[in-house]
Amino acid sequence: MTSSTLVETVSIDYEDFSESFLTCGTCLCTYDGQEHTPKLLPCSHTVCRSCLERIAAGNGVRDAGSFRCPICRETIPLPRGGVNALPPSFLVNQLLDLMSRQRREVIPKCSLHSTQELLFCETCDCVFCRLCTTGAHGNGTESGQHTVIPFSIAIKRMSEILLYKAHLCISKLNKAAENVNEEITKLDSTADETFEAINRSVQEITAAIEQRRCELIEMVKKLRNNKKKILVDQLSIIESEKEKVEQQCNGLQYQVEVRNITNRISDLNKKLDSLNAVMEPRENAFLKYECEHNSASSDIEKSLREFGRVRSSTTYPALCCAAVEPCSAHLESTACVTTYDYHGTPQTDGGDPVVIDLRYENGDSVKTHLLDRNNGTYDINFLPEQPGNYKLNVTVFDRPIKDSPFHFVASEHINPISQYGLRGSGDLHFLQPVGIAVSKSGDIFVLDTGNSRIKSLTSDYELIRHVSNVGMEERSGTGIALSLKNSLFIANWRSKYITEIDFEGSVIQKFTHVDFVEPIDLAINSKGQILIADNGACSVFVFDSSGCFLSRFGKKGTENGAFNLISSVTVGPQDEVVVSDSRIQVFSAAGKFLREIYPEGKSKGHHGGIVYDGKGNLLATRCEKSGSFIQVFSYQSGNLQFVIDSHDAKLKRPSGLDITDNHHVYVVDLGNDCIKKFRYR
């Protein structure tokens, strides 16, 4: 037997090694004094007894009397006594003793088995002793279903987690301190800027006051100089007269001629009488400064008390929130920001520097408008021009508010905001409604053709009255329009009469024309002229307000200026005549063809109604095999901007439509016997 003596002389410092020194490099189990006793091989590597016994039991090892080190692959002779005869690793044992002493108070042993170290089950999150525990944590087979590690390793892992969490906390606290210090720096900077602004504004007022002081002083000087000049001129006159008197008196003592003396006395008497005019100063010394002659002084005092203000805010961005209402592409939408202070109390004043950044999913910026309501809330108005995902960043004091950035989707669908009507003949019902007109006051007039009446409603859909007369007889009313003098014109395709009635239903006038075949719709231009679209005659007839025929244009065909199945007529911004069938054509007021709206959109479909809103938008209902919808065109360019698909309340044969001043459109849904209200901007 080959014997060897290994002398291990090591200066051990507890801080210089880690737990890996106490772990078998083969099975990765921690060395102990039992199954995993550390054994020192001649190659200086340490392997636990369990691993060495498994290696020694392998095929060929017992016959060869040697095995290879599992770490360096050097051939190791097997002692006669087997693995147990290999010397223990004194270094590892010393480290184990050291670690045991260091951890004795940290890692308790089992109270019944003093040599048995407690284990930790990560699955059950509990500490146990394997010798005195049965079931899953005992020596049974169920223990393989749980993750069990030595309690020392568990403590080490938890210590590492603790240190990691502590490091994160310290990092956050450092960042918080950095943020607070940065805010203090900003506060000092903004305070300095505020000081400068106050000094600058007060200096401007001081300069204005100084200028006024100089103006008043100059005014006093000017008045003094004017008065003084008059008085000095008077002194000159007095001195001149004085010299004259002195000259007259010179040599008087030598005068012996009585007559001459008498004459001089007479002259002096006259002089004395004339001197009365210079005895009184021709100007006075009155100068007085007044500042109470009007309200200027009190106004200045009041203005100075109210002059300037220093605004501050206790808004705490981390508690502020924003709510984005569901929105659709092409319609203006709003997000509301509500501000709070640090204690969660809603703010009641505005003025916070709220900064908005809204972007489409491709990164393009979207224009926004911020409205400060001066009550602690702010409205963000924006127009998503295309459907898709949007990201909204909201910051106050350059810090994001709660949950910012906000992600939301602009839907491609536009649904009605209200709907009214059912099929039938009652007060709440419609039967084949085809036309609609909305007054400036918001009252709604629906041509309920199947019931031969006009249903008059408020903007809240409250019934005002039903109007029935000859204009709607035989269920043949097809067109309705509001005149400039607040009366209604109705076109009846069967009787071929155009009837004007007031809102009560009284007939004002009615007229027809010999060439009428099927008058289907009508419109009123800015001159009060009545435009009648006749589907049967494929023409547009023009009458004055009293029903006198003026002109006619159009013919049957598919070329420009011709019609095929006319459905509606409306008036453009310059009294252009806009006519729809399967396409939309624009004519001058005299009937000359000008252009076609959106010619590339022609397909197998048909328009039901058309209206110009006076704000650059042309709206038309359209029915196609794929469905029915409302088209919104740019009147100037003729381009289709978008469609209102009414996705959740499908349109079925939409016909007439009319708009309100606040970008709402009412549409008569003939197939569903109702009217629907949409927002189109």
Side-chain angles (χ1 to χ4, degrees):
M1 181 182 70
T2 302
S3 64
S4 63
T5 303
L6 297 179
V7 180
E8 299 176 279
T9 305
V10 181
S11 177
I12 300 176
D13 187 346
Y14 176 66
E15 301 293 336
D16 288 343
F17 65 90
S18 66
E19 293 282 349
S20 60
F21 293 152
L22 306 180
T23 303
C24 175
T26 303
C27 65
L28 301 181
C29 291
T30 303
Y31 294 123
D32 54 24
Q34 301 176 8
E35 183 180 356
H36 298 288
T37 299
K39 292 292 184 178
L40 182 64
L41 302 180
C43 61
S44 299
H45 289 116
T46 302
V47 182
C48 74
R49 189 187 68 185
S50 175
C51 291
L52 291 176
E53 288 177 346
R54 187 181 68 255
I55 294 173
N59 295 331
V61 173
R62 191 179 300 267
D63 297 334
S66 63
F67 63 92
R68 291 185 179 275
C69 173
I71 299 175
C72 65
R73 310 305 295 170
E74 181 178 336
T75 300
I76 305 297
L78 185 64
R80 179 174 297 178
V83 171
N84 284 329
L86 289 171
S89 174
F90 296 103
L91 174 61
V92 173
N93 285 329
Q94 286 180 332
L95 290 176
L96 287 172
D97 292 342
L98 175 62
M99 292 297 295
S100 177
R101 288 195 301 270
Q102 293 291 336
R103 295 182 302 176
R104 185 169 293 122
E105 295 181 359
V106 178
I107 307 176
K109 302 286 186 174
C110 177
S111 59
L112 299 179
H113 308 88
S114 58
T115 60
Q116 185 67 32
E117 184 177 335
L118 295 177
L119 301 177
F120 179 76
C121 177
E122 292 182 334
T123 305
C124 302
D125 192 22
C126 67
V127 181
F128 65 94
C129 170
R130 190 182 296 277
L131 296 181
C132 57
T133 302
T134 59
H137 297 152
N139 294 322
T141 57
E142 296 182 3
S143 61
Q145 301 175 2
H146 293 243
T147 303
V148 177
I149 59 175
F151 194 25
S152 58
I153 296 178
I155 288 181
K156 178 184 176 183
R157 290 181 181 177
M158 288 187 285
S159 299
E160 290 175 349
I161 293 173
L162 176 65
L163 292 175
Y164 174 73
K165 296 294 184 181
H167 176 72
L168 288 181
C169 290
I170 292 173
S171 298
K172 280 198 170 186
L173 290 172
N174 289 336
K175 183 61 177 178
E178 181 182 339
N179 292 339
V180 173
N181 286 326
E182 182 179 349
E183 200 67 22
I184 291 175
T185 303
K186 286 183 179 180
L187 178 61
D188 292 337
S189 177
T190 54
D192 291 340
E193 293 174 358
T194 306
F195 295 152
E196 184 179 349
I198 292 173
N199 292 333
R200 186 166 54 250
S201 62
V202 172
Q203 285 172 1
E204 291 174 356
I205 294 179
T206 304
I209 294 175
E210 178 64 20
Q211 181 179 353
R212 182 58 180 167
R213 184 186 72 84
C214 294
E215 290 174 353
L216 291 172
I217 290 176
E218 287 299 320
M219 191 181 302
V220 172
K221 289 181 179 180
K222 184 177 181 180
L223 291 172
R224 180 197 65 181
N225 292 338
N226 291 339
K227 286 175 174 287
K228 191 172 183 179
K229 183 178 183 302
I230 295 173
L231 295 173
V232 169
D233 291 344
Q234 186 177 359
L235 281 176
S236 299
I237 294 173
I238 293 172
E239 290 296 329
S240 175
E241 293 297 325
K242 181 180 176 182
E243 290 178 0
K244 290 179 181 179
V245 172
E246 289 176 348
Q247 289 177 359
Q248 289 179 354
C249 295
N250 284 340
L252 186 61
Q253 66 273 24
Y254 304 108
Q255 189 65 249
V256 294
E257 187 66 37
V258 175
R259 183 177 297 223
N260 289 337
I261 294 174
T262 302
N263 290 335
R264 290 191 179 188
I265 290 173
S266 176
D267 292 339
L268 288 175
N269 286 332
K270 294 179 180 178
K271 178 68 70 175
L272 286 172
D273 292 336
S274 65
L275 289 179
N276 289 330
V278 295
M279 289 301 294
E280 291 290 332
R282 295 179 180 177
E283 189 53 89
N284 56 67
F286 180 78
L287 287 174
K288 183 180 180 181
Y289 170 67
E290 294 179 348
C291 62
E292 303 294 339
H293 62 291
N294 57 23
S295 62
S297 178
S298 59
D299 290 344
I300 291 174
E301 183 179 353
K302 179 181 178 182
S303 298
L304 286 176
R305 285 198 303 268
E306 298 177 354
F307 173 76
R309 66 173 179 175
V310 178
R311 300 193 66 175
S312 183
S313 174
T314 58
T315 297
Y316 189 64
L319 293 182
C320 299
C321 61
V324 183
E325 63 181 18
C327 61
S328 298
H330 314 295
L331 302 185
E332 186 173 277
S333 301
T334 302
C336 181
V337 177
T338 304
T339 56
Y340 298 86
D341 64 12
Y342 177 77
H343 303 287
T345 304
Q347 298 286 61
T348 57
D349 296 319
D352 289 329
V354 180
V355 178
I356 308 300
D357 181 46
L358 177 61
R359 295 187 179 274
Y360 185 54
E361 58 188 16
N362 62 1
D364 290 346
S365 178
V366 178
K367 184 178 180 181
T368 60
H369 174 70
L370 181 69
L371 176 62
D372 185 351
R373 296 197 172 275
N374 294 312
N375 61 357
T377 64
Y378 304 81
D379 284 347
I380 305 168
N381 299 317
F382 59 94
L383 179 66
E385 295 184 351
Q386 49 190 331
N389 298 310
Y390 288 81
K391 182 172 72 173
L392 174 65
N393 282 288
V394 183
T395 61
V396 182
F397 312 128
D398 297 327
R399 303 204 300 270
I401 68 172
K402 182 181 179 181
D403 297 329
S404 180
F406 303 91
H407 298 271
F408 63 93
V409 178
S411 173
E412 62 180 330
H413 306 300
I414 300 176
N415 292 307
I417 59 177
S418 64
Q419 178 175 323
Y420 174 84
L422 299 169
R423 182 175 180 82
S425 58
D427 289 348
L428 302 178
H429 298 77
F430 293 109
L431 186 61
Q432 295 180 337
V434 295
I436 189 170
V438 182
S439 70
K440 293 294 183 182
S441 63
D443 290 343
I444 307 167
F445 303 92
V446 183
L447 185 55
D448 190 7
T449 301
N451 289 313
S452 296
R453 66 189 180 186
I454 294 176
K455 187 185 289 290
S456 178
L457 304 167
T458 67
S459 58
D460 295 325
Y461 302 132
E462 294 182 1
L463 179 65
I464 300 175
R465 68 179 62 87
H466 285 126
V467 176
S468 298
N469 57 38
V470 295
M472 288 82 72
E473 62 185 355
E474 300 184 49
R475 300 182 178 182
S476 303
T478 53
I480 186 171
L482 193 67
S483 74
L484 302 180
K485 55 184 180 181
N486 280 334
S487 61
L488 295 170
F489 280 88
I490 302 118
N492 189 303
W493 72 270
R494 195 184 301 272
S495 68
K496 302 179 180 59
Y497 270 93
I498 308 300
T499 306
E500 181 182 8
I501 63 173
D502 61 20
F503 289 172
E504 303 292 332
S506 300
V507 176
I508 300 173
Q509 66 167 325
K510 59 184 297 188
F511 61 89
T512 186
H513 191 272
V514 65
D515 292 332
F516 278 171
V517 178
E518 187 184 343
I520 196 76
D521 195 25
L522 71 166
I524 313 296
N525 66 16
S526 64
K527 299 176 182 178
Q529 295 174 340
I530 309 161
L531 311 175
I532 310 297
D534 191 308
N535 181 48
C538 294
S539 299
V540 175
F541 295 81
V542 183
F543 297 82
D544 65 14
S545 59
S546 61
C548 295
F549 175 75
L550 298 177
S551 63
R552 169 186 179 180
F553 64 89
K555 62 180 180 178
K556 185 173 181 62
T558 57
E559 65 270 23
N560 290 337
F563 306 112
N564 183 21
L565 294 176
I566 296 178
S567 59
S568 185
V569 62
T570 192
V571 179
Q574 303 299 323
D575 276 347
E576 303 97 330
V577 183
V578 186
V579 186
S580 66
D581 48 15
S582 60
R583 55 182 175 168
I584 300 174
Q585 299 181 81
V586 181
F587 300 83
S588 68
K592 179 183 177 181
F593 174 80
L594 298 178
R595 59 192 172 101
E596 185 178 344
I597 296 287
Y598 192 55
E600 61 270 28
K602 288 186 294 187
S603 61
K604 292 183 179 180
H606 197 268
H607 292 290
I610 189 168
V611 66
Y612 175 71
D613 72 349
K615 299 177 182 178
N617 301 295
L618 184 71
L619 287 77
T621 59
R622 187 169 179 86
C623 297
E624 296 182 355
K625 287 185 177 180
S626 60
S628 301
F629 45 84
I630 304 167
Q631 296 173 311
V632 182
F633 301 96
S634 167
Y635 182 80
Q636 188 66 30
S637 67
N639 294 330
L640 176 65
Q641 300 181 87
F642 60 95
V643 298
I644 299 174
D645 60 357
S646 192
H647 183 266
D648 295 334
K650 293 293 187 181
L651 292 166
K652 186 178 180 182
R653 292 178 62 196
S655 52
L657 72 170
D658 203 1
I659 50 88
T660 66
D661 291 335
N662 57 350
H663 293 115
H664 288 89
V665 56
Y666 288 94
V667 180
V668 175
D669 193 350
L670 172 60
N672 290 312
D673 290 297
C674 67
I675 61 173
K676 295 175 180 176
K677 183 181 180 181
F678 298 87
R679 185 161 62 92
Y680 67 94
R681 277 301 182 200

